[in-house]
Amino acid sequence: MFDSRHIKTFHAVVTTGSYSAAARALGYTQPAITQQMKALERAVGTPLFTRAGRRMRLTEAGEAMARHAETILDSLTAAQQQMSSLTRLRAGRVRVCAFPSAGATIVPEALARLAADHPGVRVELLEGEPPESLRRLVRGECDITLAFTYPGLREQVPDELVEIPLMEDQLTVLLPAGHPFARRRAVKLAELADERWIAGCLRCRANFLHECAEEGFAPDIAFTTDDILVVQSLVAEGLGVAMMPGLVLSFLRHDKITGRALDPASRRQVSAYVLREHLRIPATMLVLDELKAVAARRVGC
């Protein structure tokens, strides 16, 4: 292992032609230069310089080292500049894995804020539903995962992950515009026991079945799809109703449907997850801060 300080000093000796000239250029004493060159020669295992009268020449090993020294120093300078850019948030890459309704609401707003203030930080967006999205985080396929949990179906988070709560997302029922309950402000789940239902992802479906069981009925699930726009289209055509998160209400695309809150209220917890050691990475923390700021304005939605 070579000490980078010794490589820098060796390069100065070669370019200036002597120990004394290198000492003046670097602001060292000549004995300090001599000691560093002896240390480098010990690390190499052979002399790097030889003297011919009053002139100092490079040995074969010294010539080889001289060919590499400038490249080594250039690489070190480039590495220092890149590390400085990363720590000062002029550059960096953060991979965010988000479930669809967060990817359509929280994430774009957070990334727009980030791009305005830190254009050098690149964010790559992946889509995934929990629990698979959490497994992707553990496998190192992303740096931040946005996921949700339901109170009645709490799952164990892997020990290596840190959960950062972002917001509570109130569940709603999507109804066709002409539905008898469409004019109400809130609907009791048991009142919809005879409806046909459209179910979503596995975690949402499990919570839906759990809540229906709590109300004493088994729902008639006619369709199952993870695609939020498909759910909206099915509801708009009167083919069923659906329990959906409140985040979805901000991007409804059909004027034939309406969303109504459940009575009593039902909510899910939306959180960000990171590997514990990633809390020390500036770019990751910056993205987390933006996500928290955006989510804070949506609390209780």
Side-chain angles (χ1 to χ4, degrees):
M1 295 291 292
F2 301 145
D3 189 317
S4 60
R5 295 171 300 172
H6 297 166
I7 298 294
K8 182 178 180 181
T9 300
F10 170 80
H11 182 65
V13 171
V14 172
T15 54
T16 61
S18 68
Y19 283 7
S20 58
R24 288 193 296 271
L26 297 176
Y28 294 163
T29 64
Q30 185 168 331
I33 298 292
T34 301
Q35 290 301 317
Q36 287 195 43
M37 291 304 90
K38 286 182 178 179
L40 181 59
E41 288 178 333
R42 285 195 299 271
V44 173
T46 187
L48 298 175
F49 300 100
T50 185
R51 289 192 175 276
R54 300 184 65 180
R55 298 185 61 188
M56 186 173 61
R57 293 181 178 177
L58 291 169
T59 63
E60 183 179 1
E63 290 176 352
M65 178 64 76
R67 287 193 296 270
H68 291 292
E70 189 167 355
T71 300
I72 293 170
L73 292 174
D74 286 345
S75 295
L76 285 172
T77 299
Q80 289 170 345
Q81 291 174 345
Q82 186 173 3
M83 293 305 103
S84 177
S85 292
L86 290 172
T87 56
R88 296 181 184 180
L89 296 173
R90 292 195 298 265
R93 182 189 70 155
V94 181
R95 299 163 298 169
V96 177
C97 184
F99 56 94
S101 55
T105 53
I106 300 172
V107 174
E109 187 175 346
L111 298 194
R113 289 164 52 103
L114 182 71
D117 296 332
H118 301 278
V121 177
R122 175 185 175 88
V123 179
E124 297 177 3
L125 182 59
L126 301 82
E127 185 175 294
E129 298 274 7
E132 176 56 26
S133 58
L134 293 174
R135 289 194 284 266
R136 295 184 72 176
L137 180 59
V138 173
R139 292 196 299 264
E141 297 174 12
C142 57
D143 305 301
I144 299 172
T145 284
L146 295 186
F148 55 87
T149 54
Y150 291 101
L153 301 172
R154 196 69 179 175
E155 297 181 27
Q156 185 66 36
V157 176
D159 291 339
E160 58 266 49
L161 300 186
V162 176
E163 178 181 3
I164 298 114
L166 296 180
M167 61 175 289
E168 286 189 338
D169 188 13
Q170 183 167 314
L171 299 182
T172 64
V173 177
L174 294 189
L175 304 168
H179 194 281
F181 295 156
R183 295 184 178 181
R184 292 191 186 182
R185 296 185 62 182
V187 179
K188 295 184 182 296
L189 186 58
E191 294 177 313
L192 299 169
D194 294 331
E195 298 282 348
R196 288 188 303 174
W197 288 86
I198 304 155
C201 71
L202 290 176
R203 182 171 287 194
C204 294
R205 180 188 176 108
N207 176 71
F208 172 57
L209 291 173
H210 171 75
E211 294 208 18
C212 289
E214 291 287 302
E215 293 297 324
F217 73 96
D220 175 14
I221 298 177
F223 304 98
T224 299
T225 176
D226 292 344
D227 192 316
I228 296 170
L229 290 179
V230 173
V231 173
Q232 293 182 33
S233 296
L234 292 170
V235 174
E237 295 299 329
L239 296 173
V241 299
M243 180 186 288
M244 299 293 286
L247 284 173
V248 173
L249 297 182
S250 64
F251 58 95
L252 289 178
R253 291 295 179 264
H254 287 278
D255 56 8
K256 296 181 180 180
I257 63 177
T258 185
R260 291 294 177 259
L262 287 169
D263 179 22
S266 180
R267 296 180 175 86
R268 66 177 183 175
Q269 174 66 50
V270 177
S271 298
Y273 297 83
V274 294
L275 290 167
R276 195 171 304 278
E277 58 268 26
H278 284 192
L279 292 174
R280 297 183 296 171
I281 299 176
T284 299
M285 291 305 300
L286 182 65
V287 174
L288 283 173
D289 287 343
E290 295 293 358
L291 289 169
K292 287 189 287 187
V294 171
R297 296 200 296 271
R298 291 178 173 268
V299 172
C301 77

